[in-house]
Amino acid sequence: MIACFDIGGSAIKAAAAHAHDDVRPLPKVPTPLSDFDAFAATIGELADQSGADRSQLIAISIAGVVDAETGRITCANIPCIDGRALAADLKEKLGRSVLIANDADCFALSEATVGAGVGHRIVFGVIIGTGVGGGLVINGNIHEGVGGFAGEWGHGPVSATSAGNPPASIPRFACGCGQIGCIDTVGAARGLERLHLHLHQAALSSTEIIEAWENGEATAARTIDCYVDIVSAPLAMTINIVGASIVPVGGGLANCIPLVELLDKAVRRRILYKTDRPLVVPAKLKVEPGLVGAGILGLTEIAK
């Protein structure tokens, strides 16, 4: 049994991982943002509460990108760890070995191991929520790529400038990553809102747009038509490149099953491999996939 964590800018979630399908959460606590000593102490206290042996490693899923070569993390929403060689620094503070992976990678690993991707050799886990992201798992192992950015299909200047039927003109929106025209600017929840505002000059939340679409409202249907057209093309290209045979989707927008089904049909029309079987599917793990993925990551390491 090991201690595992899912760490975001607002909260640290911890659990005791007894097996891949037996991860027992502890109460979550606020994330110390500006004090690394407090951050490390909180991790240590929660690890002790889990009951895990201090000789065992701890595994962390985090909302940041870890460079596999340097071990340094990019994590702007937790300033006290941004730029640190976090695993090494935590090991020095806690006297425990530490494994760290991006939260989208842990999501993909959890789906590949105990979720929708069971039985598939190549699993591409997709997030469409606050942001657009993803993780790639090959033969049960996270593929991080150079700099830890493998699977990050949401960034890159590839967003369409014309979408929907009939075609509508779509501007190339500025992205927080510094580029123009990233899929994240349209495919994420705020992006869906941005798209609706552009098309109809009406400010609605993503949940309001989805609800209106499900109720048959025409302007929302037009927004969703354009949204699926824009998002499905780069997702299809990514699937062609990585060769995934299943694409579990998580994040807030993925809670709308009809939207995922529509995206799946559009993607399957655009990929080279033709199949009548659903490819882009709702994630099976609805509760704490990051924690589950971190637990699987750590348990797999100690079993080697």
Side-chain angles (χ1 to χ4, degrees):
M1 186 265 284
I2 65 165
C4 57
F5 298 84
D6 184 14
I7 303 176
S10 60
I12 295 177
K13 302 173 184 177
H18 295 260
H20 289 175
D21 58 354
D22 184 9
V23 177
R24 307 174 191 178
L26 299 170
K28 65 182 180 181
V29 301
T31 304
L33 299 178
S34 57
D35 184 340
F36 180 71
D37 287 342
F39 179 90
T42 300
I43 298 295
E45 290 165 6
L46 289 169
D48 289 341
Q49 290 176 28
S50 74
D53 192 313
R54 285 187 173 229
S55 66
Q56 294 286 16
L57 60 79
I58 62 175
I60 296 173
S61 164
I62 197 161
V65 176
V66 180
D67 187 323
E69 293 185 4
T70 66
R72 296 194 177 278
I73 187 169
T74 301
C75 186
N77 62 342
I78 309 177
C80 71
I81 66 171
D82 188 37
R84 281 184 174 270
L86 184 58
D89 289 353
L90 284 175
K91 181 178 181 180
E92 182 179 350
K93 288 283 186 183
L94 304 177
R96 298 172 183 256
S97 295
V98 180
L99 281 179
I100 302 175
N102 170 261
D103 54 356
D105 289 340
C106 286
F107 160 76
L109 182 62
S110 66
E111 284 294 319
T113 308
V114 294
V118 171
H120 293 264
R121 190 173 70 86
I122 302 177
V123 178
F124 182 49
V126 165
I127 303 293
I128 49 173
T130 303
V132 172
L136 182 61
V137 173
I138 302 174
N139 294 327
N141 297 305
I142 294 171
H143 179 72
E144 298 171 325
V146 176
F149 290 105
E152 290 293 347
W153 69 288
H155 294 279
V158 298
S159 187
T161 56
S162 176
N165 185 23
S169 177
I170 310 295
R172 297 171 70 79
F173 298 107
C175 183
C177 76
Q179 299 190 88
I180 304 293
C182 292
I183 294 303
D184 191 88
T185 67
V186 175
R190 302 293 82 75
L192 178 61
E193 296 163 3
R194 184 181 293 114
L195 179 63
H196 190 80
L197 179 63
H198 166 73
L199 292 171
H200 308 296
Q201 294 73 54
L204 295 179
S205 70
S206 59
T207 53
E208 289 172 329
I209 296 166
I210 294 292
E211 183 179 359
W213 170 59
E214 292 183 311
N215 289 332
E217 200 275 321
T219 60
R222 174 65 163 156
T223 298
I224 295 298
D225 177 46
C226 292
Y227 174 90
V228 170
D229 194 12
I230 294 168
V231 172
S232 62
L235 181 54
M237 177 62 74
T238 303
I239 293 167
N240 280 343
I241 293 169
V242 304
S245 58
I246 195 75
V247 183
V249 185
L253 293 180
N255 290 327
C256 178
I257 304 303
L259 180 61
V260 176
E261 292 173 344
L262 200 60
L263 188 59
D264 171 60
K265 291 176 182 177
V267 165
R268 283 190 285 126
R269 286 196 299 268
R270 287 174 152 165
I271 59 174
L272 293 174
Y273 173 70
K274 300 306 178 185
T275 177
D276 293 328
R277 176 185 56 80
L279 174 65
V280 180
V281 300
K284 281 193 174 181
L285 297 177
K286 302 300 183 183
V287 180
E288 307 298 0
L291 267 180
V292 173
I296 292 168
L297 182 71
L299 289 169
T300 300
E301 180 65 23
I302 65 173
K304 290 180 179 179

